[in-house]
Amino acid sequence: MTTTQNAEARTTAEPEARDSTGFAPVLTRAAEAETTRDPSSVMTLLADSGDTGGRLTGYRSTFAEGAVGAPAHLHTKVSEMFYVIDGALQVLVGEEITVLRAGDFLLVPPHTPHAFAAAPGATADVLFVFTPGAGRFDYLRLLGRVMRGEADPQEIKDSSERFDNHYVDSPVWREALAARA
């Protein structure tokens, strides 16, 4: 996984443009946004919690056909939203697996196990939003370092509280992934 960053990609208005919320409007130009990538997906980092006064974190992921996005996990403090821009995304929510298609929206509340991957035979282009913001960019960067062999996978396990990302076992999801092979 590689990361490309452009300091000019994310701009905020001048301090006087800030209102009582404590943050200014955020504009992230797609062509200049920081990206992380691996052989099967590209994540475009749009706005992290530090940019939004802690209100939300948002990024866009494009998954190649057959790409596995995330293993079964849950969040204890944040809700995760999925909006499928194009293609199809196979998701686990609790113990149920479904396919989201272009235009579909899913909100996963805290403490709900979930997982996702490009649906079999499909690619997927998905907008992810976490609310409140969850500092996900540092988590995505850590994943990249682990995948490149620059960091120990134990760092992911050790960061579960910091990033509110708690991996869980899901026999249903394991079976679904095995059926894809």
Side-chain angles (χ1 to χ4, degrees), residues 75-152:
H75 311 290
T76 61
K77 300 174 187 91
V78 300
S79 296
E80 184 172 358
M81 294 175 257
F82 300 72
Y83 178 76
V84 179
I85 298 166
D86 194 30
L89 189 73
Q90 184 176 32
V91 296
L92 166 78
V93 180
E95 293 297 312
E96 184 178 331
I97 294 176
T98 191
V99 174
L100 305 177
R101 301 194 185 286
D104 289 349
F105 172 84
L106 170 66
L107 173 64
V108 178
H111 302 283
T112 304
H114 58 286
F116 54 89
T123 60
D125 186 358
V126 183
L127 176 66
F128 291 89
V129 177
F130 293 81
T131 184
R136 300 297 292 179
F137 290 7
D138 283 342
Y139 175 75
L140 296 171
R141 292 175 186 124
L142 174 59
L143 281 176
R145 289 193 308 276
V146 167
M147 293 182 77
R148 290 189 302 270
E150 298 167 0
D152 188 321

